[in-house]
C-alpha cells in the first residue's frame, strides 16, 4: 500500500511504553478527523487469552494457533476492533508481564501486521500507534513520529494517569519492557530513519501535539 500518493493518509506513531503515544494520537485524530488504532491492544488480547486459556507464551506455535482461533471467533469484526475486552483486563500487571513474550514471536507479528493492513485498507485516513508501525507495518506512511522520554518521567506520568501501582513497580515494568521491545530480533523498537523524533521529557502535551500537527500539515495532511 502506498500512502505517499493520493488521498490515503496513514500516520505512524511509535515509541516506548508510556511515552504519550495514545494521548497525542487521539489529539491528532481529533484535529485531522482520522481514525485511530492502538496496535498494542492486539498483542495484549493475545497475551490475555493465553493466560486465560493456559497457553504457554514460550510456545510460539501454540500462541499463533491461539491467535488464529481468536481471529476465527471474531470473524464478523476484526480482532483489532473487538469490543469484548475491558481496558483494565488488557492492562493488568499479569498481561503487562506476559505481552513482551507474545510480541517477540515473528509469525504472530506477521498475523497482527495483516490485521492492521486489513483495518487500514478500510479507512481513508488514520493514525496508528505501536512499536514497528513506521519501520515495518507502514514504511511509506505520510508522516512518522518516534516519541520518547526518560523512563522516570514515563513511569511518573503512567502512575498519575492510571492511579494504580507504585512508582517503583511501574518504573521497573517500563524499563523491562523497553529492554524487551528494543532487543527482540523481530521488528525491534527503533526509530524509522525518516521519523521525526520528539523527546517529550520536558514538553507539555500541547507542545508535543503542536509540533506533530505542524509536521502533518507540512506533509499535506488536511484538516477535515
Ligand atoms: O502499546 P502497548 O504498551 O499497549 O503495547 C503492548 C506491548 O505490545 C508492548 O510491550 C510491545 C508490544 N507491541 C509491539 O511489539 N508492536 C506494536 N506495534 C505494538 C505493541
Amino acid at each position: 500500500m502506498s500512502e505517499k500518493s493520493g488521498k490515503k493518509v496513514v500516520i505512524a506513531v511509535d515509541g516506548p511504553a508510556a511515552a504519550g503515544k495514545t494521548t497525542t494520537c487521539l489529539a491528532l485524530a481529533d484535529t485531522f478527523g482520522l481514525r485511530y488504532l492502538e496496535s498494542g491492544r492486539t498483542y495484549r488480547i493475545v497475551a490475555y487469552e493465553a493466560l486465560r486459556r493456559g497457553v504457554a507464551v514460550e510456545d510460539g506455535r501454540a500462541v499463533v494457533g491461539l491467535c488464529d482461533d481468536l481471529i476465527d471467533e471474531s470473524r464478523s469484526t476484526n480482532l483489532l476492533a473487538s469490543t469484548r475486552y475491558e481496558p483494565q483486563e488488557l492492562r493488568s500487571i499479569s498481561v503487562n508481564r506476559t505481552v513482551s513474550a507474545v510480541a517477540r514471536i515473528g509469525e504472530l507479528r506477521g498475523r497482527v501486521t495483516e490485521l492492521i493492513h486489513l483495518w487500514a485498507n478500510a479507512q481513508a485516513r488514520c493514525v496508528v500507534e505501536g512499536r514497528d508501525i513506521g519501520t515495518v507495518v507502514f514504511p511509506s506512511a505520510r508522516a512518522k513520529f518516534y516519541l520518547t522520554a526518560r523512563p522516570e518521567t514515563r513511569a511518573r506520568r503512567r502512575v498519575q494517569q492510571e492511579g494504580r501501582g507504585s512508582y517503583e513497580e511501574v518504573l521497573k515494568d517500563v524499563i523491562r519492557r523497553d529492554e524487551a521491545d528494543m532487543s527482540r530480533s523481530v521488528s525491534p523498537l527503533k526509530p524509522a530513519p525518516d521519523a521525526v523524533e520528539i523527546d517529550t521529557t520536558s514538553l507539555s502535551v500541547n507542545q508535543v501535539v503542536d509540533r506533530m500537527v505542524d509536521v502533518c500539515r507540512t506533509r499535506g495532511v488536511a484538516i477535515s
Side-chain angles (χ1 to χ4, degrees):
M1 187 190 318
S2 172
E3 295 83 27
K4 279 199 170 139
S5 58
K7 290 204 166 122
K8 181 104 190 158
V9 170
V10 177
I11 294 170
V13 180
D14 292 300
K21 300 186 294 296
T22 303
T23 308
T24 53
C25 280
L26 288 171
L28 285 187
D30 196 41
T31 306
F32 291 104
L34 310 170
R35 294 292 308 279
Y36 160 65
L37 181 72
E38 185 191 2
S39 65
R41 192 164 181 279
T42 317
Y43 293 98
R44 288 180 179 276
I45 290 173
V46 176
Y48 172 80
E49 288 291 356
L51 287 168
R52 205 169 70 87
R53 301 182 189 198
V55 173
V57 287
E58 300 73 32
D59 184 344
R61 293 186 83 170
V63 174
V64 172
L66 166 65
C67 180
D68 287 340
D69 289 347
L70 294 172
I71 292 169
D72 282 348
E73 288 167 23
S74 66
R75 203 176 276 292
S76 57
T77 53
N78 175 332
L79 181 56
L80 284 167
S82 171
T83 49
R84 255 184 20 206
Y85 302 93
E86 297 293 332
Q88 60 272 25
E89 293 178 322
L90 299 181
R91 298 209 156 264
S92 69
I93 292 171
S94 51
V95 169
N96 275 354
R97 286 205 186 112
T98 313
V99 70
S100 308
V102 164
R104 76 168 74 99
I105 302 167
E107 208 179 331
L108 180 81
R109 300 197 68 84
R111 296 285 203 284
V112 175
T113 299
E114 277 172 29
L115 290 175
I116 298 172
H117 285 162
L118 206 69
W119 179 88
N121 273 335
Q123 322 299 332
R125 303 171 359 123
C126 61
V127 55
V128 183
E129 77 158 85
R131 303 291 190 287
D132 61 343
I133 307 302
T135 49
V136 175
V137 183
F138 293 112
S140 50
R142 182 76 67 93
K144 298 180 188 178
F145 297 96
Y146 187 88
L147 300 188
T148 185
R150 291 180 57 223
E152 293 77 7
T153 309
R154 289 186 276 131
R156 188 169 35 75
R157 287 178 186 159
R158 182 59 38 109
V159 172
Q160 275 168 1
Q161 253 170 20
E162 293 192 355
R164 69 183 169 100
S166 73
Y167 166 76
E168 286 75 19
E169 272 167 7
V170 175
L171 178 61
K172 238 200 253 168
D173 181 60
V174 160
I175 292 172
R176 186 191 53 74
R177 285 207 287 144
D178 282 1
E179 163 65 18
D181 290 343
M182 290 174 189
S183 68
R184 66 173 173 239
S185 56
V186 196
S187 310
L189 170 66
K190 61 177 179 193
D194 53 347
V196 174
E197 291 188 46
I198 306 177
D199 183 336
T200 72
T201 303
S202 45
L203 297 178
S204 68
V205 172
N206 283 347
Q207 286 173 313
V208 178
V209 172
D210 285 350
R211 181 126 186 250
M212 295 169 88
V213 167
D214 282 348
V215 171
C216 290
R217 287 176 122 159
T218 62
R219 305 280 161 89
V221 183
I223 291 183
S224 70

